[in-house]
Amino acid sequence: MVKIYNKYEMSYIRKMGNKDTNITENELVILLPEGCMWAKDKKMKACSYCGYQALVDEMRSTSEFDDYIEIIDHEMNKQAEMIERVSFFVGGSFLEIDRTERNRFIEKMNEYPQVKEIFFETRPELVTSKNVKELRERIPDKQLTVAIGLESSDDYIRNVIHTKSITKKVFERAMKFLKDSGVEPLIYVFVKPPMENMTDEEAIKDALDTITYSFDQGATFIELECGYIVENSEMHKLFLDGKYKTLSLWSIQKLLQEAINKNRGIIRLAYFSDTPTPVEIPHNCGVCDELFLTMFDTYRETLDSGVINQKIECSCVE
């Protein structure tokens, strides 16, 4: 069987702004096909917007690899000199990976002195004081950032619409473990959940409420995940039925301005492209889209808040 990295692109570089200098840095995202316990459990429902598990299943059934170190070595050898950050994306929770294996390749990052930050994401119930301290201690000279997909501070939206099954008690406990261990928490906020005929205004309010709650719990970063459509998701079904419309770019600009003006912490904007490739992303009329997308890319790459105040004129203005 073919090696996984000879069949699939197992890493890519994304441009990310440095929160202290506004200088653009390279983040290498390495794909490790672990998958998600939530999506793999037939008794559960995968998060309503997510189609990653289908890709992970395809990768594992059509290619091979010895262990994750093999993938990491292959991808780091291609890109190592160019990068300042490494993000491990597993299509689920990093802490699902076997303890010995994850400790081994986190420690391996010490071989790359130019890499100053390591990033991964996990469900909050998997975070313990022991496992985050264990990982933190293996990279004493690097920043460790851990993302949690809270998505919404509204219990109904988070657990019924997104099917996350995350209680605030579990989330808040995980946040305390991260902060006490010297780990920087990043919280994903999903903007415009897959609710029938939800307006952009309602989506902005939910996002701002979630941002406030997350910073109150000690978040260092917020990353806005603006709804886009991927196949093999409940959200895709809603979209095909004409009951879900992606955000306008005007709304994303407004949200960014209001979130940044809270002056509570770092607001990041996730890219609208991903793996698997979306079939629909936030957009406007088509005439002004490129101006907005360029503005958003500049913000992502610099975190310069002044960029978001750019005035764009178009007849589709809301």
Side-chain angles (χ1 to χ4, degrees), residues 226-230 239 245-249 252 271-274 277-284 289 293:
C226 298
Y228 52 73
I229 311 299
V230 296
F239 171 73
K245 182 181 178 182
T246 54
L247 287 155
S248 78
L249 304 178
I252 295 172
Y271 283 87
F272 304 150
S273 58
D274 211 333
T277 303
V279 297
E280 178 91 356
I281 65 172
H283 60 87
N284 283 349
D289 289 35
L293 295 175

Side-chain angles (χ1 to χ4, degrees), residues 27 41 106 109 118 140 186 203 212 239 274 296 312 314:
E27 177 176 288
D41 189 335
I106 284 291
M109 291 297 101
I118 307 299
L186 180 149
T212 298
F239 171 73
D274 211 333
F296 293 155
I312 296 174
C314 187

Side-chain angles (χ1 to χ4, degrees), residues 8 102 120 219 262 292:
Y8 298 96
R102 71 184 183 229
F120 66 80
K262 285 180 176 289
F292 278 94

Side-chain angles (χ1 to χ4, degrees), residues 286-300:
V287 174
C288 62
D289 289 35
E290 197 58 38
L291 293 173
F292 278 94
L293 295 175
T294 298
M295 173 177 65
F296 293 155
D297 278 345
T298 302
Y299 177 72
R300 291 180 181 110

Side-chain angles (χ1 to χ4, degrees), residues 42-303:
K42 302 305 180 184
K43 297 177 183 177
M44 306 297 181
K45 292 180 67 177
C47 297
S48 55
Y49 50 83
C50 182
Y52 289 123
Q53 189 60 45
L55 177 62
V56 169
D57 291 343
E58 176 190 311
M59 286 180 166
R60 283 186 165 272
S61 63
T62 62
S63 61
E64 65 178 2
F65 59 96
D66 293 333
D67 56 22
Y68 289 140
I69 288 288
E70 179 186 2
I71 296 174
I72 293 166
D73 281 343
H74 186 270
E75 302 308 312
M76 290 296 293
N77 288 340
K78 291 193 299 185
Q79 313 280 11
E81 295 180 1
M82 303 169 56
I83 59 174
E84 290 87 11
R85 305 174 184 178
V86 171
S87 174
F88 294 113
F89 180 76
V90 305
S93 294
F94 179 86
L95 293 176
E96 291 180 53
I97 294 173
D98 174 76
R99 172 176 171 265
T100 300
E101 186 169 16
R102 71 184 183 229
N103 286 347
R104 191 160 60 101
F105 62 72
I106 284 291
E107 193 165 357
K108 185 177 179 61
M109 291 297 101
N110 292 312
E111 297 175 13
Y112 304 96
Q114 77 281 16
V115 174
K116 57 189 178 184
E117 180 181 357
I118 307 299
F119 175 96
F120 66 80
E121 56 192 56
T122 187
R123 285 184 60 88
E125 66 266 32
L126 299 179
V127 176
T128 67
S129 178
K130 179 180 178 180
N131 63 23
V132 292
K133 285 181 179 177
E134 199 170 54
L135 293 169
R136 170 70 275 178
E137 289 169 357
R138 277 166 166 73
I139 45 170
D141 299 323
K142 302 181 190 297
Q143 176 180 314
L144 179 60
T145 301
V146 174
I148 295 176
L150 179 68
E151 317 304 355
S152 175
S153 58
D154 183 284
D155 293 339
Y156 177 80
I157 292 176
R158 183 176 65 258
N159 292 329
V160 177
I161 300 301
H162 286 309
T163 64
K164 298 288 290 191
S165 290
I166 294 174
T167 67
K168 285 182 176 175
K169 180 179 179 180
V170 168
F171 172 76
E172 291 169 11
R173 183 182 64 194
M175 291 292 283
K176 184 177 188 306
F177 288 152
L178 294 174
K179 296 297 287 185
D180 288 350
S181 300
V183 175
E184 302 284 2
L186 180 149
I187 305 305
Y188 293 139
V189 174
F190 195 97
V191 189
K192 201 167 188 181
M195 299 176 68
E196 288 192 19
N197 305 314
M198 186 182 212
T199 67
D200 282 14
E201 290 73 21
E202 291 168 332
I204 289 172
K205 181 182 184 306
D206 176 60
L208 290 172
D209 289 346
T210 306
I211 289 167
T212 298
Y213 169 72
S214 298
F215 281 135
D216 286 347
Q217 300 307 316
T220 303
F221 305 92
I222 299 294
E223 183 159 302
L224 301 176
E225 307 278 333
C226 298
Y228 52 73
I229 311 299
V230 296
E231 294 179 327
N232 301 307
S233 68
E234 291 298 317
M235 194 166 168
H236 185 230
K237 296 175 184 176
L238 205 62
F239 171 73
L240 292 177
D241 289 341
K243 297 176 181 178
Y244 182 88
K245 182 181 178 182
T246 54
L247 287 155
S248 78
L249 304 178
W250 297 104
S251 295
I252 295 172
Q253 182 185 32
K254 178 182 179 181
L255 172 58
L256 279 167
Q257 289 170 337
E258 294 190 27
I260 291 167
N261 285 341
K262 285 180 176 289
N263 198 30
R264 295 288 306 277
I266 307 301
I267 305 293
R268 296 187 358 179
L269 177 64
Y271 283 87
F272 304 150
S273 58
D274 211 333
T275 302
T277 303
V279 297
E280 178 91 356
I281 65 172
H283 60 87
N284 283 349
C285 63
V287 174
C288 62
D289 289 35
E290 197 58 38
L291 293 173
F292 278 94
L293 295 175
T294 298
M295 173 177 65
F296 293 155
D297 278 345
T298 302
Y299 177 72
R300 291 180 181 110
E301 295 173 11
T302 63
L303 291 180

